[in-house]
Amino acid sequence: MTSPVSSPLIGVFALQGDVREHLSALRAAGAVAVPVRRPSELAEVDGLVVPGGESTTMSRLSRVFDLLDPIRERIAGGLPVYGSCAGMIMLASTVLDGRPDQESFGGITMVVRRNAFGRQVDSFETDLAFAEVEGAPVHAVFIRAPWVESTGPDVEILARVSGGPADGRIVAVRQGNLLATSFHPELTGDLRVHELFVRMVRETATVPTNGGQTIEEAVR
Ligand code: GLN
């Protein structure tokens, strides 16, 4: 027998990026949140956030600290992961305008372009309609952000830019247990995207209600 975990344990990839902001947002959204720097820490978590930062550095450090393949394996095993900005790049199957040696964790079938919004609109803020988030539009902060150029058939598009030079560009997606946004909800105090992710983790993470026995062991 299993039941949903009420306060799931969610890790934040902590080798580089705005780790603290995601830890606070996750805690405020009802999770127990811990930094993840080692494979042994990764092994404990029910979900993972890959923060904003610099994807080329994340790629290099995750190789050096032996997290690249373990994260890929956990993604293949169904671990819920949310990537924001650089984290979105890390979840992309294909990265454009990256460094030639840049590697991603992958998991979402999409082509993502780094620093896609160009020099003039390097950083900007706008409001977005976001599928799966109820209520008012989400205020989105973009900082040297990527956008999604194309998606595979299993990818759900959750938000697009509306208006301006980037009108229609895809900036939030979901594929199964994987969620990605081009922008940084951890910087605005609006918890709804983190709450969505915590719900995704709760739906996946289950704890045994009978001390870890299978039902067959319990009735034997
Ligand atoms: N431009 C960064 C990258 O390529 C992402 C920026 C961010 O996460 N704010 O990784």
Side-chain angles (χ1 to χ4, degrees), residues 16-18 51-58 84-90 95-98 102 113-116 122-123 141-146 181-184 186-187:
Q16 200 267 331
D18 66 337
E54 179 47 58
S55 59
T56 54
T57 309
M58 289 180 182
S84 91
C85 202
M88 168 187 261
I89 297 169
M90 293 305 292
V95 177
L96 300 180
D97 292 342
Q102 175 165 4
R113 186 177 294 282
R114 283 182 68 223
N115 304 336
D122 230 10
S123 300
V141 176
F142 293 83
I143 305 167
R144 294 177 59 78
T181 64
S182 302
F183 54 93
H184 294 270
E186 73 280 13
L187 300 181

Side-chain angles (χ1 to χ4, degrees), residues 151-175:
T151 56
D154 298 331
V155 178
E156 198 188 333
I157 293 166
L158 301 180
R160 293 176 186 266
V161 174
S162 166
D167 185 46
R169 289 296 180 180
I170 302 167
V171 290
V173 293
R174 176 173 177 176
Q175 181 172 0

Side-chain angles (χ1 to χ4, degrees), residues 176-219:
N177 280 338
L178 305 176
L179 176 71
T181 64
S182 302
F183 54 93
H184 294 270
E186 73 280 13
L187 300 181
T188 60
D190 180 347
L191 294 175
R192 290 175 295 166
V193 175
H194 288 82
E195 284 166 351
L196 164 64
F197 183 61
V198 172
R199 276 200 304 279
M200 287 168 57
V201 177
R202 271 198 194 112
E203 281 158 19
T204 321
T206 52
V207 281
T209 52
N210 57 2
Q213 289 175 306
T214 64
I215 191 75
E216 287 79 7
E217 287 167 339
V219 298

Side-chain angles (χ1 to χ4, degrees), residues 110-169:
M110 62 179 171
V111 177
V112 154
R113 186 177 294 282
R114 283 182 68 223
N115 304 336
F117 290 89
R119 286 237 180 91
Q120 272 109 31
V121 281
D122 230 10
S123 300
F124 68 103
E125 303 187 15
T126 189
D127 289 338
L128 302 171
F130 194 118
E132 299 200 35
V133 167
E134 304 215 327
V138 171
H139 187 68
V141 176
F142 293 83
I143 305 167
R144 294 177 59 78
W147 68 39
V148 179
E149 296 226 339
S150 61
T151 56
D154 298 331
V155 178
E156 198 188 333
I157 293 166
L158 301 180
R160 293 176 186 266
V161 174
S162 166
D167 185 46
R169 289 296 180 180

